[in-house]
Amino acid sequence: MIIKPIATNVITGFLGVGKTTLIKRLLADKPVNEKWAVLVNEFGEVGIDAALLGGSGEGVEIREVAGGCMCCAAGVPMQVAINQLIAKAKPDRLLIEPTGLGHPREVLKVLSEPHYQNVIKLKSTLCLVDARKVTDARYREHDIFNQQLEVADIILATKADLYTQDSLSDLKDYLQQKNLQGPNFNKASSLLTVSMAAVLPRELMTLLNEPAVIPAAKPSKPASLLTPKTSVFELDYNADVLEFDERGMVSKSNVGEGAYSCGWVFDPSYEFNFDELLVWVKSLEVLRFKAVVITDEGIAGINLVDGEMTITELDDVMDSRLELISLSQINAKVIEAKLLSLSSRLSC
């Protein structure tokens, strides 16, 4: 029996640019006769993106590697997760979403290893970018932000409905400066734009089926310096078992690439005050806040990036999960006390 290699796309982009939203939309449009698998990597430790993708429908298998860059430690966490996901799902297509603070070049290197040649067929790498960020030194001077653009075969400028007149031209100028876009440059990437509320560009799926162009490797830091982190662990979203403390909570933290994360999981007996939670979230000065929470007004997915907040209504979750990512250290005790004040524990 001849086994057809699995079409595989790496979907990268900095924190909060909309990778999970895009993947959910791709899954909604997948051919009905195909089975797709998704491997999600999060910088934080509590695993929220898989919960957001959990209701993506029939013919979809999701697995998560949380707690840092899954390509580190010689790519072992990623290879284990990929092997288990392929064995379980036997997918027609595999979508891999590295953390926004991960090393996509290392991810592609692992996927290009000889033992995957007959298993995986690398297709176009997609980088999502908010064009407004290229004028922000925190992004423009960040190695990971630039590496994501450098490895991309397709660059998708998201949140286009929020751009000023100059946003897209700023991005195009930056890509030309980096020799990343246009016929006269070393690596010509297709540049598309999309509002996350609009339909996806029709040519996106066609471009995603093109073979990937693997960029030449650059000298890397010693493995011990790649991503300092507390741990890397796998989560099968459909079989995620957590050990709650006597309060019905789990807390985890992580540090790496100049960023800090703190996350909490609350068992399903907790109910958050929706209005008070939103007021508090809006007051945060962090790089990223995201959550899936059980509230007194239903189940909500909350995302805050650079002061912009979006809210999504969800059908079902197994627990409440909240996480902050910041470029400065986080006072976890203060945040935890605030979260407890915003919630009540219902009697069983």
Side-chain angles (χ1 to χ4, degrees), residues 33-53:
N33 60 332
E34 289 188 4
K35 186 165 189 178
W36 287 18
V38 183
L39 179 62
V40 181
N41 179 212
E42 290 198 61
F43 176 73
E45 299 269 357
V46 300
I48 293 175
D49 287 348
L52 293 171
L53 289 169

PDB file of all heavy atoms in Angstrom, residues 33-53:
ATOM      1  N   ASN A  33     -14.641  15.628   2.659  1.00  0.00           N
ATOM      2  CA  ASN A  33     -14.133  14.257   2.599  1.00  0.00           C
ATOM      3  C   ASN A  33     -12.703  14.136   3.112  1.00  0.00           C
ATOM      4  O   ASN A  33     -12.103  13.066   3.032  1.00  0.00           O
ATOM      5  CB  ASN A  33     -14.203  13.739   1.153  1.00  0.00           C
ATOM      6  CG  ASN A  33     -13.368  14.579   0.200  1.00  0.00           C
ATOM      7  OD1 ASN A  33     -13.157  15.770   0.441  1.00  0.00           O
ATOM      8  ND2 ASN A  33     -12.890  13.959  -0.880  1.00  0.00           N
ATOM      9  N   GLU A  34     -12.142  15.225   3.643  1.00  0.00           N
ATOM     10  CA  GLU A  34     -10.776  15.185   4.148  1.00  0.00           C
ATOM     11  C   GLU A  34     -10.759  15.276   5.669  1.00  0.00           C
ATOM     12  O   GLU A  34     -11.639  15.878   6.285  1.00  0.00           O
ATOM     13  CB  GLU A  34      -9.950  16.340   3.572  1.00  0.00           C
ATOM     14  CG  GLU A  34      -9.627  16.183   2.102  1.00  0.00           C
ATOM     15  CD  GLU A  34      -8.646  17.241   1.601  1.00  0.00           C
ATOM     16  OE1 GLU A  34      -8.158  18.046   2.425  1.00  0.00           O
ATOM     17  OE2 GLU A  34      -8.396  17.262   0.385  1.00  0.00           O
ATOM     18  N   LYS A  35      -9.714  14.682   6.248  1.00  0.00           N
ATOM     19  CA  LYS A  35      -9.484  14.814   7.679  1.00  0.00           C
ATOM     20  C   LYS A  35      -8.244  15.671   7.880  1.00  0.00           C
ATOM     21  O   LYS A  35      -7.210  15.425   7.270  1.00  0.00           O
ATOM     22  CB  LYS A  35      -9.294  13.449   8.335  1.00  0.00           C
ATOM     23  CG  LYS A  35      -9.205  13.536   9.855  1.00  0.00           C
ATOM     24  CD  LYS A  35      -9.389  12.183  10.509  1.00  0.00           C
ATOM     25  CE  LYS A  35      -9.514  12.338  12.017  1.00  0.00           C
ATOM     26  NZ  LYS A  35      -9.749  11.049  12.695  1.00  0.00           N
ATOM     27  N   TRP A  36      -8.355  16.693   8.704  1.00  0.00           N
ATOM     28  CA  TRP A  36      -7.247  17.591   8.967  1.00  0.00           C
ATOM     29  C   TRP A  36      -6.822  17.471  10.428  1.00  0.00           C
ATOM     30  O   TRP A  36      -7.644  17.154  11.304  1.00  0.00           O
ATOM     31  CB  TRP A  36      -7.635  19.039   8.677  1.00  0.00           C
ATOM     32  CG  TRP A  36      -7.747  19.363   7.212  1.00  0.00           C
ATOM     33  CD1 TRP A  36      -7.884  18.482   6.176  1.00  0.00           C
ATOM     34  CD2 TRP A  36      -7.749  20.668   6.631  1.00  0.00           C
ATOM     35  NE1 TRP A  36      -7.973  19.153   4.982  1.00  0.00           N
ATOM     36  CE2 TRP A  36      -7.891  20.496   5.232  1.00  0.00           C
ATOM     37  CE3 TRP A  36      -7.656  21.949   7.141  1.00  0.00           C
ATOM     38  CZ2 TRP A  36      -7.926  21.574   4.352  1.00  0.00           C
ATOM     39  CZ3 TRP A  36      -7.695  23.035   6.274  1.00  0.00           C
ATOM     40  CH2 TRP A  36      -7.828  22.840   4.889  1.00  0.00           C
ATOM     41  N   ALA A  37      -5.566  17.719  10.672  1.00  0.00           N
ATOM     42  CA  ALA A  37      -5.029  17.718  12.037  1.00  0.00           C
ATOM     43  C   ALA A  37      -4.341  19.055  12.291  1.00  0.00           C
ATOM     44  O   ALA A  37      -3.791  19.667  11.368  1.00  0.00           O
ATOM     45  CB  ALA A  37      -4.056  16.565  12.233  1.00  0.00           C
ATOM     46  N   VAL A  38      -4.373  19.502  13.533  1.00  0.00           N
ATOM     47  CA  VAL A  38      -3.768  20.773  13.927  1.00  0.00           C
ATOM     48  C   VAL A  38      -2.860  20.542  15.123  1.00  0.00           C
ATOM     49  O   VAL A  38      -3.278  19.952  16.124  1.00  0.00           O
ATOM     50  CB  VAL A  38      -4.833  21.827  14.290  1.00  0.00           C
ATOM     51  CG1 VAL A  38      -4.168  23.157  14.625  1.00  0.00           C
ATOM     52  CG2 VAL A  38      -5.846  21.991  13.166  1.00  0.00           C
ATOM     53  N   LEU A  39      -1.617  21.003  15.008  1.00  0.00           N
ATOM     54  CA  LEU A  39      -0.684  20.978  16.129  1.00  0.00           C
ATOM     55  C   LEU A  39      -0.442  22.422  16.553  1.00  0.00           C
ATOM     56  O   LEU A  39       0.067  23.233  15.778  1.00  0.00           O
ATOM     57  CB  LEU A  39       0.633  20.312  15.729  1.00  0.00           C
ATOM     58  CG  LEU A  39       1.702  20.243  16.824  1.00  0.00           C
ATOM     59  CD1 LEU A  39       1.211  19.411  18.003  1.00  0.00           C
ATOM     60  CD2 LEU A  39       2.997  19.659  16.271  1.00  0.00           C
ATOM     61  N   VAL A  40      -0.835  22.758  17.777  1.00  0.00           N
ATOM     62  CA  VAL A  40      -0.743  24.122  18.292  1.00  0.00           C
ATOM     63  C   VAL A  40       0.341  24.187  19.350  1.00  0.00           C
ATOM     64  O   VAL A  40       0.409  23.333  20.233  1.00  0.00           O
ATOM     65  CB  VAL A  40      -2.090  24.573  18.905  1.00  0.00           C
ATOM     66  CG1 VAL A  40      -1.987  26.007  19.417  1.00  0.00           C
ATOM     67  CG2 VAL A  40      -3.212  24.457  17.884  1.00  0.00           C
ATOM     68  N   ASN A  41       1.188  25.192  19.264  1.00  0.00           N
ATOM     69  CA  ASN A  41       2.231  25.431  20.264  1.00  0.00           C
ATOM     70  C   ASN A  41       1.971  26.783  20.909  1.00  0.00           C
ATOM     71  O   ASN A  41       1.770  27.770  20.208  1.00  0.00           O
ATOM     72  CB  ASN A  41       3.602  25.408  19.587  1.00  0.00           C
ATOM     73  CG  ASN A  41       4.754  25.669  20.537  1.00  0.00           C
ATOM     74  OD1 ASN A  41       5.764  26.236  20.138  1.00  0.00           O
ATOM     75  ND2 ASN A  41       4.638  25.253  21.784  1.00  0.00           N
ATOM     76  N   GLU A  42       1.940  26.827  22.235  1.00  0.00           N
ATOM     77  CA  GLU A  42       1.724  28.085  22.943  1.00  0.00           C
ATOM     78  C   GLU A  42       2.924  28.424  23.808  1.00  0.00           C
ATOM     79  O   GLU A  42       3.560  27.545  24.395  1.00  0.00           O
ATOM     80  CB  GLU A  42       0.477  28.002  23.818  1.00  0.00           C
ATOM     81  CG  GLU A  42      -0.824  27.949  23.032  1.00  0.00           C
ATOM     82  CD  GLU A  42      -2.015  28.303  23.895  1.00  0.00           C
ATOM     83  OE1 GLU A  42      -2.059  29.430  24.424  1.00  0.00           O
ATOM     84  OE2 GLU A  42      -2.893  27.445  24.048  1.00  0.00           O
ATOM     85  N   PHE A  43       3.224  29.723  23.913  1.00  0.00           N
ATOM     86  CA  PHE A  43       4.284  30.176  24.802  1.00  0.00           C
ATOM     87  C   PHE A  43       3.894  29.939  26.254  1.00  0.00           C
ATOM     88  O   PHE A  43       4.697  29.548  27.080  1.00  0.00           O
ATOM     89  CB  PHE A  43       4.556  31.671  24.565  1.00  0.00           C
ATOM     90  CG  PHE A  43       5.563  32.259  25.504  1.00  0.00           C
ATOM     91  CD1 PHE A  43       6.912  31.962  25.373  1.00  0.00           C
ATOM     92  CD2 PHE A  43       5.168  33.102  26.519  1.00  0.00           C
ATOM     93  CE1 PHE A  43       7.852  32.496  26.254  1.00  0.00           C
ATOM     94  CE2 PHE A  43       6.092  33.657  27.395  1.00  0.00           C
ATOM     95  CZ  PHE A  43       7.437  33.347  27.267  1.00  0.00           C
ATOM     96  N   GLY A  44       2.636  30.187  26.562  1.00  0.00           N
ATOM     97  CA  GLY A  44       2.148  29.974  27.917  1.00  0.00           C
ATOM     98  C   GLY A  44       1.960  28.514  28.235  1.00  0.00           C
ATOM     99  O   GLY A  44       2.052  27.638  27.371  1.00  0.00           O
ATOM    100  N   GLU A  45       1.665  28.231  29.505  1.00  0.00           N
ATOM    101  CA  GLU A  45       1.652  26.861  29.996  1.00  0.00           C
ATOM    102  C   GLU A  45       0.266  26.243  30.132  1.00  0.00           C
ATOM    103  O   GLU A  45       0.159  25.040  30.310  1.00  0.00           O
ATOM    104  CB  GLU A  45       2.333  26.804  31.377  1.00  0.00           C
ATOM    105  CG  GLU A  45       3.787  27.250  31.386  1.00  0.00           C
ATOM    106  CD  GLU A  45       4.762  26.112  31.154  1.00  0.00           C
ATOM    107  OE1 GLU A  45       4.308  24.968  31.049  1.00  0.00           O
ATOM    108  OE2 GLU A  45       5.964  26.375  31.075  1.00  0.00           O
ATOM    109  N   VAL A  46      -0.802  27.047  30.080  1.00  0.00           N
ATOM    110  CA  VAL A  46      -2.097  26.478  30.439  1.00  0.00           C
ATOM    111  C   VAL A  46      -2.911  26.004  29.239  1.00  0.00           C
ATOM    112  O   VAL A  46      -3.902  25.307  29.410  1.00  0.00           O
ATOM    113  CB  VAL A  46      -2.940  27.470  31.277  1.00  0.00           C
ATOM    114  CG1 VAL A  46      -2.211  27.823  32.559  1.00  0.00           C
ATOM    115  CG2 VAL A  46      -3.291  28.716  30.489  1.00  0.00           C
ATOM    116  N   GLY A  47      -2.545  26.355  28.031  1.00  0.00           N
ATOM    117  CA  GLY A  47      -3.217  25.812  26.855  1.00  0.00           C
ATOM    118  C   GLY A  47      -4.597  26.387  26.627  1.00  0.00           C
ATOM    119  O   GLY A  47      -5.583  25.855  27.123  1.00  0.00           O
ATOM    120  N   ILE A  48      -4.688  27.478  25.860  1.00  0.00           N
ATOM    121  CA  ILE A  48      -5.974  28.132  25.600  1.00  0.00           C
ATOM    122  C   ILE A  48      -6.391  27.980  24.142  1.00  0.00           C
ATOM    123  O   ILE A  48      -7.564  27.788  23.839  1.00  0.00           O
ATOM    124  CB  ILE A  48      -5.902  29.625  25.988  1.00  0.00           C
ATOM    125  CG1 ILE A  48      -5.738  29.749  27.509  1.00  0.00           C
ATOM    126  CG2 ILE A  48      -7.144  30.384  25.529  1.00  0.00           C
ATOM    127  CD1 ILE A  48      -5.526  31.158  27.999  1.00  0.00           C
ATOM    128  N   ASP A  49      -5.435  28.041  23.224  1.00  0.00           N
ATOM    129  CA  ASP A  49      -5.772  28.002  21.794  1.00  0.00           C
ATOM    130  C   ASP A  49      -6.508  26.729  21.407  1.00  0.00           C
ATOM    131  O   ASP A  49      -7.415  26.753  20.567  1.00  0.00           O
ATOM    132  CB  ASP A  49      -4.515  28.148  20.945  1.00  0.00           C
ATOM    133  CG  ASP A  49      -3.969  29.574  20.976  1.00  0.00           C
ATOM    134  OD1 ASP A  49      -4.693  30.466  21.458  1.00  0.00           O
ATOM    135  OD2 ASP A  49      -2.838  29.788  20.527  1.00  0.00           O
ATOM    136  N   ALA A  50      -6.132  25.601  21.986  1.00  0.00           N
ATOM    137  CA  ALA A  50      -6.819  24.346  21.654  1.00  0.00           C
ATOM    138  C   ALA A  50      -8.276  24.403  22.065  1.00  0.00           C
ATOM    139  O   ALA A  50      -9.143  23.849  21.385  1.00  0.00           O
ATOM    140  CB  ALA A  50      -6.121  23.160  22.328  1.00  0.00           C
ATOM    141  N   ALA A  51      -8.556  25.073  23.179  1.00  0.00           N
ATOM    142  CA  ALA A  51      -9.951  25.223  23.600  1.00  0.00           C
ATOM    143  C   ALA A  51     -10.732  26.054  22.596  1.00  0.00           C
ATOM    144  O   ALA A  51     -11.898  25.786  22.309  1.00  0.00           O
ATOM    145  CB  ALA A  51     -10.004  25.858  24.981  1.00  0.00           C
ATOM    146  N   LEU A  52     -10.091  27.083  22.044  1.00  0.00           N
ATOM    147  CA  LEU A  52     -10.752  27.923  21.042  1.00  0.00           C
ATOM    148  C   LEU A  52     -11.006  27.155  19.752  1.00  0.00           C
ATOM    149  O   LEU A  52     -11.941  27.442  19.022  1.00  0.00           O
ATOM    150  CB  LEU A  52      -9.902  29.160  20.756  1.00  0.00           C
ATOM    151  CG  LEU A  52      -9.774  30.156  21.911  1.00  0.00           C
ATOM    152  CD1 LEU A  52      -8.728  31.215  21.593  1.00  0.00           C
ATOM    153  CD2 LEU A  52     -11.112  30.813  22.222  1.00  0.00           C
ATOM    154  N   LEU A  53     -10.149  26.182  19.458  1.00  0.00           N
ATOM    155  CA  LEU A  53     -10.307  25.380  18.249  1.00  0.00           C
ATOM    156  C   LEU A  53     -11.134  24.127  18.476  1.00  0.00           C
ATOM    157  O   LEU A  53     -11.474  23.426  17.536  1.00  0.00           O
ATOM    158  CB  LEU A  53      -8.926  24.954  17.721  1.00  0.00           C
ATOM    159  CG  LEU A  53      -8.066  26.045  17.102  1.00  0.00           C
ATOM    160  CD1 LEU A  53      -6.639  25.527  16.893  1.00  0.00           C
ATOM    161  CD2 LEU A  53      -8.643  26.524  15.789  1.00  0.00           C
TER     162      LEU A  53
END
